[in-house]
Structures are given as structure tokens and as C-alpha cells.
Amino acid sequence: MKHPRKLYLFVAVLLLLPGLVAACGDNTATTTPATTSATTTSVATTSATTAATTQNATTSATTTSVATTTTSATTAATTQAGAARSAGTFRWRQASEPKTLDPGFLTDQTSIEIAQNIFEGLLELDPKLQVKPALASAMPTVSEDGKTYTFKLKPGLKFSNGDSLTAKDFVYGWNRVAQLGDLAEYGSIMYEIEGFEAVSTEKDEAKRKAATVSGIKAVDDNTITIKLNAPSFYFLTEATLWVFFPVNQKLVESKGDKFDEKNPWSTEAANLAGVGTGAFILKEWKHDVSMRLEVNPNYSGPKPDIDAVTVDFIKDDSTARLKYDNGELDEVLVPVSDIQKLKKDPKYQNQYHEYANLRTTWLQFNFSKNDNPLSTNPKLRQAFAYAMDRQLITDGALNGSGVPTTVLLPEGLVGYKTLDSYPYNKDKAQQMLKEAGYDTPEKVKQLEDQINNYGGGKSGGYAFNADTDQWKAVAESVQQQLKNNLGLNIKLNPISTFKEFLARRDDNKEFIFMRGSWGADYPDPQNFYEQCFASYSGNNKSNYKSPVFDELVKKGNVASTPAQRAEYYQQAEKVMQDDAAYVPLFNGIQVRLQKPYIQNFGWTAQSILPFKYVVIKK
């Protein structure tokens, strides 16, 4: 959906992903090309050729996208090889500290952004979201049937403490993710690997913790094979994720139970200093105050240009903005209330940046609770959907830092198609409220009390993390629209930190009405539909369950052409919307301030650029 006042199309993202390899009629193992790309700051035309292995046919697609910014972001990363080092410390801010830095337990953006600078896997996404080798010496060779990937490691790899890093460490880390079972919420990402799902879903805990995955092998110290259940469009992009990071078995198991999320190996700087494989080590972690990262002396790639990164945990956006203006921080989020003012201020002309995001935000319900009308009454959820004026949220609450959407999938990904099942309509919203059984003022008040007083009140109302201005502004808009359009005075339930919000929403499942949001881990519709709403996904935080939806998603995952995949995912979207399983609101735009002397840092469509690219030129 186009924003009426701003030329804007989400991202340049390929319709096809690099995981599927053509047999090309011969028996030679074929090196898989890395072709996934995206850019957030310029007009881009991207062409991709991906071969359909199962049909021995090659399919081509071209997508053209535009992501315009008020000030063009200067964040293209360049290699550091041969360049004079500028050194210095990059000073950054997060609203709250990571929940954990254990790759097996990572789920939230804050934790992931830090962990991806401490750990590294076989592959990584470069600044243009192209898959490239990281700890692997080259892209893998792939068997003729498209199912077996063979990786060779760089020679002489080490963990950050100097311990030798071999193929066995990768296999150990991946088996550990499977052995974690439901505790590894991203474990389902690896279900494509032969034998992984069987281990991960084993109900006998003792058997699961002792089992190993049949599809992963350490052939020798420098060679790993991964066998999939079937050819995959997106496996190589999945393989860039944190669940594929190796971990140092000796250190992990020396600090306690290797299956315990609170094991201090992943929550204390002194322990984390020895387990990493990334460009930085965690030198200091003052909980809820700050972190300091320094260059990993045993990193296998080019040495970062900077010496260190400090991360201050500052809850309030406005406070962080003041520190930026005072010269204490190098890059910050712009509070939504300041966006239009700073955009026009000449002082910030070369500091103000907007970045398109592959992120969708929605109203989320909790289907694991059958003791409230929001989970059991679809017509009530439909009333909430009709009551939402998305344009009012993006233009008003977000001050232009969002684009209205009516579907889960961001524009630019294969399968994207507009479907507006519940356009804003106050009369229709009130009609559905009556059809839901709330046809008198007394019944509406009863409903209001049920939602607000759920869980003794502490779990009631509309829950959101209040550590960024954005979520507070959205919550207030949702609250006002429910009042104006349905006559419901739903209280706001602000949770002080993102970390606490995640624990209460995801781990305790205590809220019944809350903020939902998902940003792409890799640019493929499977990452949205399966991860967010499939009944078997650990990231399905709404606990929505639909066998019809699950089956359509599975068909979309393995279909052999982009057109077939798109059709299945679009059908899956309709199933969700017919159930009013969620209420899509908007796709986000990151609005940031960055000091002019900071180079090669910014935001891709998915996340921050790694700190290893940062250059300081004062």
C-alpha cells in the first residue's frame, strides 16, 4: 500500500531466494550462488535467477522497488582491507538490555543485534542482504538433488579465547538447539534438516537431551554436511541466523546446565568473552546500565576499523536524544514527537535518516486463553478490526514513521498482495460488536471490565512495552479509536521494559490483548507466515492454531515456483483474516539521527549493519 503523502515502496528484495540449486542435467555438485539482495536508501532494480531443482528448470524474476529517504543514508559498507584504521569508540544506545545472548534462546531484536556482533556462523548477510561466507571458506557445494550441502571451514578458526574451532563445535551447537526442544523458539527454523524435528519434538526429555540430529555431520575437522528433507528456496538465508552459530562446549558446560537459559555463560561478560566467533567480544556488562564490546583478537575476518562499541541502556527516547545532542552518543532513534521538526531543521540535514523496515505491527490476541471473549468470539475481533483507522495511526501517532498495511507480509516479498478484509468502518465495527453479543450499554460495559480486569487487572487492557515513544503513541491511538468507534474504554497496560514485556507476553502468556510485531530475519514469506502463526512454531506468540493455515503454509514453503508459493501464502493470509486472528496495522520506518563522522553504519531492511563495518572519521 502506498503512503498518500510519501513516495515509498518497502524494499528491494528478490522474489526468489538463493537456497535452491539447479541440477542442470549433470551429476556435478554445484556451488550455490548468493543472490538475495535489498537496499533501503535508493532506487534499485534487482534481478535474480533461481533454479527449481525439483523440475530441473530455471525460473527468473525481477522486482523493482523504491525506498526513498528524506536524507539519503550513507551507510553502504565497504571492506576494511588495506584502509588506514580510524580507531575510536562507537557510542550506541538501546532502550533495554538483552534478555540473553545464548544463540539457542535468542528471539528479540535487542538481544539479536548484540549477539550477531559477538557470534558468527558459516554464512552471513552482507549490507545488501546477500548471503556470503563467514566462517565457511566458500559457499557450499550442493548435491544434484538439492538436499545435501557441504561446507568447508576457513583454516585455523578459533573461539574468542583462542580455543580451536572445528566442525564438531558447529554440530554440537546445532544438536543443542534441537535438544532444547520448545525452549529454542527459533528451533523450528531448522526443521528442514533431516532428523531435526524428530529430536526437537521428542516428548521424553531425557531421550531428547541425549539425541542427535541425523542430517548434520562433521565429516572431519574442517568439513560439515547438512542434509535437508527436501530442496529449499530459503535454506541458505536461514543458515545465516543465530541458531546456526557454533558455541564453545567446554565453556557452556563449565558454568552449569547447558539447557538453562539463565546459565551465566550467556549473561555475564567474563563468561561470554571465551565463546564468541564474531568480530567483537563482550568486555563489560553492567546490567541495566551499559555494555562494552572490544575487538576480538581471534576473529577470522578483516579487523574492524574501530576499537570498541559502548551500548548505553536508556529507557526514554527523549533522554537518549538529549545525550546525542550533548555529544555523548553517536546514533539514536528519533522520538516520534520530534520527527517532523527534525526533518525540517537545517542543523540535522546531514544527520537525519529514514530507513524502510521489513516489519509489520498488529493487534495481537492470545488464543491460549479460552477464558476471555477476545480469544473465543471472532465477531468481536472483527469489530476491533473494523474500528482501526490505520492512516490515523501512521499519520498521527507515528508522525509519518509508518505505512498502513492490511496484510502480514511487507510489500516487496514474494506472495505480497493487498487484502483488506476489514477496512476502517465505524458503522460496520458497531454492527459486528452487536452481532458479537454486545448490543446494550450494559453488555459493552461488562466486556470492557472483562478485558481491563483480566488477571486481576495486571494482565488486562492493552499491553505494550513503554520504553519507546513509538509504542506509547500507537497504544494511545488504539485506545482512542476503540473508545470513539466501539464505546469501549480499554485501559493501557504499559510494561516498563521490552525485556519484561517479552517475558510476560511470550514466556508467561499472561496478556489477552497486546502489541504484536515481527521484523524479517531473512526476506522470505515463510519467515512471516510460518514463524508468526503456524501452530508448531515457537515464535507463534498468539498461539493461533489452524490446521488449514498450517497446511497452506507448508505447501507454500516447498512449492517449486514463486507463483505457486505466492498463491499458497495468499490463501493462508485469507484464512487468518477470515478468523480475524490478528489486526494488521502498519509497516515501520526507522527514523534515526547519526553523527556525520560515523560512516558505514545504518539499517538494512531487517536490522542494523554489524559494528565491524563502522568507520569513525572526525
Side-chain angles (χ1 to χ4, degrees), residues 190-206:
M190 305 176 85
Y191 280 7
E192 289 186 288
I193 300 174
E194 183 182 89
F196 194 96
E197 184 175 6
V199 175
S200 181
T201 58
E202 170 60 58
K203 299 303 181 185
D204 186 310
E205 185 176 0

Side-chain angles (χ1 to χ4, degrees), residues 199-311:
V199 175
S200 181
T201 58
E202 170 60 58
K203 299 303 181 185
D204 186 310
E205 185 176 0
K207 287 183 179 179
R208 186 182 71 246
K209 289 182 176 180
T212 56
V213 177
S214 60
I216 51 179
K217 304 288 185 186
V219 178
D220 55 43
D221 282 352
N222 295 303
T223 309
I224 304 167
T225 60
I226 302 175
K227 185 176 182 181
L228 306 184
N229 297 311
S232 169
F233 270 95
Y234 43 83
F235 174 68
L236 288 185
T237 47
E238 285 184 325
T240 66
L241 298 186
W242 39 95
V243 285
F244 284 89
F245 293 162
V247 292
N248 190 327
Q249 179 178 1
K250 180 178 70 176
L251 291 182
V252 169
E253 296 184 2
S254 71
K255 301 300 178 182
D257 182 0
K258 70 175 181 177
F259 303 113
D260 182 5
E261 184 178 13
K262 294 182 173 58
N263 185 323
W265 83 264
S266 64
T267 59
E268 300 298 333
N271 302 328
L272 279 159
V275 299
T277 52
F280 292 86
I281 59 173
L282 184 59
K283 192 68 174 179
E284 183 179 71
W285 187 349
K286 296 178 181 178
H287 286 285
D288 296 315
V289 178
S290 65
M291 279 181 166
R292 181 178 175 84
L293 285 70
E294 295 184 358
V295 172
N296 175 5
N298 291 299
Y299 181 52
S300 65
K303 186 175 182 179
D305 197 85
I306 57 174
D307 296 316
V309 178
T310 56
V311 185

